[in-house]
Amino acid sequence: MVAAAVATHLLLLLASSLVSFTLAIPRIPSGAVSVSTPLGTAQGTLDVDGANRFSVRYATASRWKASTIVTQWQLPNGSGDPAALPLQCPQIRVDASTFSEDCLSMILYVPVDISAGSKVPTLVWIHGGSFDSGSATGPGLDGSKLAIATHSIVAVIQYRLGALGLLAPNGPTNLAVTDTINALKFLGKILPSFGGDASKVTLAGQSSGASMIRTLLAVPSASSLFRSAILQSDPMDYGFLSPPTQSLLQTTFNDLVNCSTTDTACHSALPISSILSAQVTLENEANALDPAAGQGEPLRPVRDGQLITTPLDSTAPFPAVNKPLLLTNVKNEGGPTVYELLFPGGPQPAALFVPVCDFSLGEDRTEIVMNSGFYPVDPNGDSRHPMEVLTTDYVWRCPTWTLARNWVSHGAPAYVGMYTLGATYPANADTPFCLASGNVCHRDDIYIVFGTTPNPTPAQTALTLEMQARYRMFLLTGSPNAPGLEPWAPVSSSGNVPAKELGSKTTSDGLYPPAACAPSFWGAAAQYDYQVFNI
């Protein structure tokens, strides 16, 4: 019974990222604005936080077909209101009136003192949500304050999610990835009109948004579209899907929707509710169909050898690189998974730790973990604590540190940070663990970066000011070191990772300890999922 319950819960791993909030950005316009672009006149409005806001459709796409960049400026969803925000892409757990398949849109935030000829950098934000939820209008993603603080243009983009972006029955993979590439190409056309320099684009994103950026780093044809990247809380342990795994998931999905590969009329006639229902069924069954799909993010980009040419991990020769990276995690990435999804009812006995590990890691890795000393289990304590530490290390923190070491050893700088202070994100507001003093859960860095924390404390305000100053310098120079702030050392060529604590200092030197993220443990003695499944 315990194993069955654990299996059921673990199928929801990371599903907290599925929670989507609709149109959280204020709609109240303060005034109309317009900009002349090569695609026509861009109409926008003065955002309530002080920057000019432009919502725009960047591409169009028929269902399960490649997207095409628009050739003229268009407001999202056929709207005639420049203040209107784009509908989100189809997804579960939201009202159907809030989404549309016509969702390839973005929102630009441009400080009022930036105009054509300014040549400022651009930060492109890619939202999280396990590749099957989220939008450009999620909580805290109003980019006005971030744009003003960094004196840059902030673009928050959307791309097709779930089955519509990653499970085309007629064969093409990675539609969501090519959507994102088209968003960057669109920006290259119009940024100079707004005062941006198309050669100074930095990608930033959280969770699966960071995974999408890692994907773009593995796409040679996208390399010229951006010059640096910020990855926040990327669940790198999963890696990309392999073609055989993707093919199995695709075949299963085709069976669920009961359309043959070539029956385009059947594809077009499917109600969106049927597509989403089949998607949910597949996501729940994916790990049982093929453990390489994983338990938390089974629908994700596939390394097809054509668009995505490298795993960008430790399973194959690492390519030469030249883009600076800023890589961050939060202290308790695994908090929502363990304390909200798996065991929300209260403390769990120590005896549960091993079966949970067995299900997630298999017996061999579980034995290594149990003998490591990194995850001690108090015989009389709550086993959720070591579960959370293990989940944070294994899914997020340690594979991030491994990527940083690989990145630096192959040609480009990388900076690693750990948020030891955050601001509770709405999806975490009902999880007592995430509300406890000192805990920083997955997504609790979003408000801090955007400067959108409701009623911030002085410490939160100070951290926001610091991070926005560091982001400004990273956009300009590829380094997060800013005047008046403590130095942030890059990862060394020897593999030392000086992970800077962002917020509260928990160590005397302000560097987060490696512990299980030392090179000899995760990725070596205990392998990541992408190594175990050779993906």
Side-chain angles (χ1 to χ4, degrees), residues 266-401:
C266 182
H267 302 160
S268 298
L270 284 169
I272 189 63
S273 58
S274 297
I275 295 172
L276 293 176
S277 177
Q279 172 189 307
V280 170
T281 299
L282 177 64
E283 288 178 313
N284 288 338
E285 296 177 354
N287 189 66
L289 290 169
D290 185 346
Q295 299 153 349
E297 204 173 73
L299 302 186
R300 58 188 190 272
V302 55
R303 180 166 59 94
D304 56 4
Q306 298 173 1
L307 184 70
I308 303 171
T309 59
T310 171
L312 210 62
D313 58 30
S314 304
T315 63
F318 206 88
V321 296
N322 58 14
K323 299 182 189 299
L325 295 188
L326 184 60
L327 305 165
T328 63
N329 293 106
V330 300
K331 188 164 69 74
N332 306 102
E333 299 274 18
T337 299
V338 173
Y339 284 85
E340 177 187 353
L341 295 175
L342 300 185
F343 305 108
Q348 299 298 311
L352 195 62
F353 185 78
V354 170
V356 169
C357 286
D358 280 345
F359 183 84
S360 295
L361 304 174
E363 293 182 0
D364 291 343
R365 283 191 292 176
T366 294
E367 183 176 1
I368 293 170
V369 164
M370 294 301 296
N371 292 332
S372 70
F374 289 123
Y375 308 103
V377 181
D378 182 347
N380 300 311
D382 184 352
S383 67
R384 293 180 299 176
H385 174 66
M387 286 182 202
E388 186 276 318
V389 178
L390 172 61
T391 303
T392 294
D393 283 355
Y394 148 59
V395 177
W396 284 280
R397 183 170 77 103
C398 297
T400 296
W401 288 33

Side-chain angles (χ1 to χ4, degrees), residues 99-369:
F99 63 63
S100 168
E101 289 190 63
D102 174 19
C103 63
L104 299 184
S105 300
M106 66 173 68
I107 307 174
L108 299 175
Y109 298 89
V110 185
V112 295
D113 60 344
I114 292 176
S115 58
S118 299
K119 294 186 177 182
V120 301
T122 296
L123 184 147
V124 179
W125 180 265
I126 305 178
H127 69 78
S130 295
F131 288 112
D132 61 7
S133 67
S135 73
T137 53
L141 299 188
D142 185 320
S144 286
K145 291 180 178 178
L146 179 58
I148 293 168
T150 57
H151 196 63
S152 70
I153 296 170
V154 172
V156 185
I157 70 172
Q158 300 184 160
Y159 52 92
R160 281 176 287 181
L161 300 169
L164 292 166
L166 295 166
L167 286 175
N170 56 343
T173 59
N174 295 319
L175 292 176
V177 181
T178 54
D179 291 345
T180 306
I181 291 172
N182 279 340
L184 297 178
K185 290 179 177 178
F186 173 85
L187 282 168
K189 293 176 181 291
I190 58 92
L191 280 176
S193 301
F194 292 88
D197 185 335
S199 69
K200 299 177 181 176
V201 172
T202 295
L203 305 185
Q206 187 268 346
S207 196
S208 62
S211 298
M212 180 64 85
I213 295 169
R214 175 165 43 88
T215 303
L216 295 174
L217 290 167
V219 175
S221 60
S223 182
S224 63
L225 301 176
F226 63 104
R227 70 173 184 177
S228 56
I230 302 170
L231 283 70
Q232 300 175 207
S233 300
D234 182 356
M236 295 186 190
D237 169 72
Y238 298 140
F240 302 129
L241 283 181
S242 68
T245 300
Q246 195 277 336
S247 180
L248 174 60
L249 297 181
Q250 185 69 71
T251 298
T252 304
F253 178 77
N254 291 357
D255 291 342
L256 288 168
V257 297
N258 198 27
C259 288
S260 70
T261 300
T262 58
D263 193 346
T264 55
C266 182
H267 302 160
S268 298
L270 284 169
I272 189 63
S273 58
S274 297
I275 295 172
L276 293 176
S277 177
Q279 172 189 307
V280 170
T281 299
L282 177 64
E283 288 178 313
N284 288 338
E285 296 177 354
N287 189 66
L289 290 169
D290 185 346
Q295 299 153 349
E297 204 173 73
L299 302 186
R300 58 188 190 272
V302 55
R303 180 166 59 94
D304 56 4
Q306 298 173 1
L307 184 70
I308 303 171
T309 59
T310 171
L312 210 62
D313 58 30
S314 304
T315 63
F318 206 88
V321 296
N322 58 14
K323 299 182 189 299
L325 295 188
L326 184 60
L327 305 165
T328 63
N329 293 106
V330 300
K331 188 164 69 74
N332 306 102
E333 299 274 18
T337 299
V338 173
Y339 284 85
E340 177 187 353
L341 295 175
L342 300 185
F343 305 108
Q348 299 298 311
L352 195 62
F353 185 78
V354 170
V356 169
C357 286
D358 280 345
F359 183 84
S360 295
L361 304 174
E363 293 182 0
D364 291 343
R365 283 191 292 176
T366 294
E367 183 176 1
I368 293 170
V369 164

Side-chain angles (χ1 to χ4, degrees), residues 330-336 388 392 418-419 433 438-442:
V330 300
K331 188 164 69 74
N332 306 102
E333 299 274 18
E388 186 276 318
T392 294
M418 174 64 73
Y419 282 90
F433 174 84
N439 291 343
V440 189
C441 285
H442 190 66

